[in-house]
Amino acid sequence: MDHMNTGEIISKRRRALGLTQSQLAKSLNISFQAVSKWENNTTYPDIQMLPRLAAALHTTVDALLGYRSVVTDYDSRYDQEEYYWGLTPNRICYDIMKLLPPVKPYRVLDIGCGEGKDAVFMAKCGYAVTAFDVSEQGIEKAKRLAEHNQVNVRFFKADILDYHPEREYDVIFCSGMLHFIPESRREELCGSLKSHTADMGINALNVFVQKPFITRSFQNPEDEKLRHPWYSGELFGYYHDWLFHTCREEVFDCNSGGVPHRHCMDTLIAQRVCETR
């Protein structure tokens, strides 16, 4: 359980969104006194109200009840002025540019874009970028970054487990978040990404890989339940019928979260050739 109770969580989320108690109450068609009682822990929202309240506060029912989730984890990381992952583009962005230089506005989909550094960089280079993330905090910072750099990126909030591409893209890019996909959903996901990639288009993906010689300690045991490392080579197998440009596995040191640790990661940049259509 989170250290805050439900009333404190409601209050924090409401204030983070710039809402008064009256504004939140109006959106839920209830009295502001009801909201006040929730935040003071005098009463609690009934079970039928929880989904509506979560939607109004741009969060999840689990998060309202104090359970940690992917959303609350990343919202807390991004709830600061600085950019948690910095502003330097992922090196994969440069690999993409070598294979598919922006001689025209190729369509890019950035999955799990976080605070938007890679999406904004690609847009500055001339790509037509669509990007989404599950974190409302991340999306808001990404929009500010795009505005600061005077580029247009279609940012929106979505969960990869529920999202289905509505069009084809020339580039589908995803870095550092596919470990939230359960093993039972991975083949289906990769199949969907492949089927929504244009002829000669590129998928550039990386995944954290489990290794017996790498252990990771979690401050909260619930964190481990949210993450599902891949098997070595598993990602490559789903793209066996595509042309590989990059296919590597590497072990590296990391200090995210302020705790030194190591990761093993598989990286794939593969291209759909016309014959596989």
Side-chain angles (χ1 to χ4, degrees):
M1 295 288 286
D2 195 280
H3 70 280
M4 290 190 296
N5 58 44
T6 298
E8 290 174 317
I9 294 169
I10 293 172
S11 177
K12 181 180 179 181
R13 288 297 302 167
R14 174 182 61 77
R15 288 184 280 107
L17 293 171
L19 297 173
T20 65
Q21 289 182 341
S22 295
Q23 288 172 325
L24 177 58
K26 184 177 180 180
S27 71
L28 296 171
N29 197 27
I30 59 175
S31 68
F32 79 88
Q33 290 94 336
V35 175
S36 178
K37 288 180 179 179
W38 293 342
E39 295 186 358
N40 290 325
N41 292 307
T42 305
T43 61
Y44 296 93
D46 64 47
I47 192 168
Q48 293 180 328
M49 175 61 69
L50 284 173
R52 293 174 55 202
L53 178 59
L57 295 176
H58 299 173
T59 187
T60 65
V61 171
D62 278 355
L64 285 180
L65 296 176
Y67 292 100
R68 292 182 61 83
S69 69
V70 174
V71 179
T72 54
D73 185 10
Y74 282 88
D75 275 350
S76 64
R77 294 188 193 194
Y78 301 153
D79 189 18
Q80 56 183 319
E81 188 66 27
E82 296 79 14
Y83 280 72
Y84 184 85
W85 304 111
L87 295 174
T88 302
N90 191 308
R91 61 173 172 168
I92 295 178
C93 295
Y94 297 101
D95 295 331
I96 291 171
M97 293 179 66
K98 292 175 183 177
L99 294 171
L100 205 66
V103 294
K104 66 177 184 178
Y106 286 113
R107 301 158 297 177
V108 174
L109 175 64
D110 184 353
I111 298 173
C113 64
E115 300 159 297
K117 66 180 181 68
D118 297 322
V120 169
F121 172 76
M122 298 290 280
K124 287 178 66 176
C125 291
Y127 296 92
V129 184
T130 297
F132 71 88
D133 197 272
V134 73
S135 168
E136 185 76 25
Q137 293 277 13
I139 290 297
E140 289 305 312
K141 290 179 74 173
K143 289 179 179 178
R144 293 197 297 270
L145 185 62
E147 182 178 3
H148 175 76
N149 284 275
Q150 299 182 322
V151 295
N152 181 40
V153 179
R154 182 189 166 220
F155 286 113
F156 61 96
K157 179 182 175 181
D159 188 331
I160 182 61
L161 292 173
D162 301 322
Y163 176 74
H164 299 281
E166 73 284 0
R167 58 180 295 183
E168 283 191 343
Y169 292 91
D170 300 294
V171 177
I172 296 180
F173 167 62
C174 183
S175 177
M177 63 81 57
L178 290 178
H179 55 292
F180 293 113
I181 308 298
E183 185 178 352
S184 61
R185 298 284 302 276
R186 293 171 186 169
E187 184 174 7
E188 173 192 358
L189 171 67
C190 291
S192 176
L193 300 184
K194 291 168 70 176
S195 66
H196 288 89
T197 303
D199 286 334
M200 305 308 293
I202 293 169
N203 282 191
L205 315 168
N206 60 33
V207 297
F208 292 111
V209 174
Q210 54 187 330
K211 291 290 187 180
F213 53 85
I214 295 180
T215 58
R216 176 85 188 275
S217 60
F218 294 90
Q219 294 180 344
N220 190 313
E222 294 297 316
D223 289 349
E224 188 171 9
K225 297 178 182 179
L226 301 173
R227 292 159 171 79
H228 314 279
W230 291 49
Y231 297 104
S232 182
E234 181 182 0
L235 175 64
F236 309 144
Y238 295 134
Y239 284 82
H240 65 91
D241 52 345
W242 280 33
L243 174 63
F244 286 16
H245 291 282
T246 297
C247 175
R248 66 171 176 260
E249 182 168 284
E250 55 192 333
V251 175
F252 61 94
D253 297 321
C254 183
N255 198 42
S256 64
V259 179
H261 54 278
R262 304 174 81 200
H263 289 298
C264 181
M265 177 170 277
D266 281 2
T267 299
L268 174 69
I269 302 178
Q271 188 171 29
R272 167 171 232 157
V273 297
C274 297
E275 290 76 11
T276 66
R277 188 76 176 164

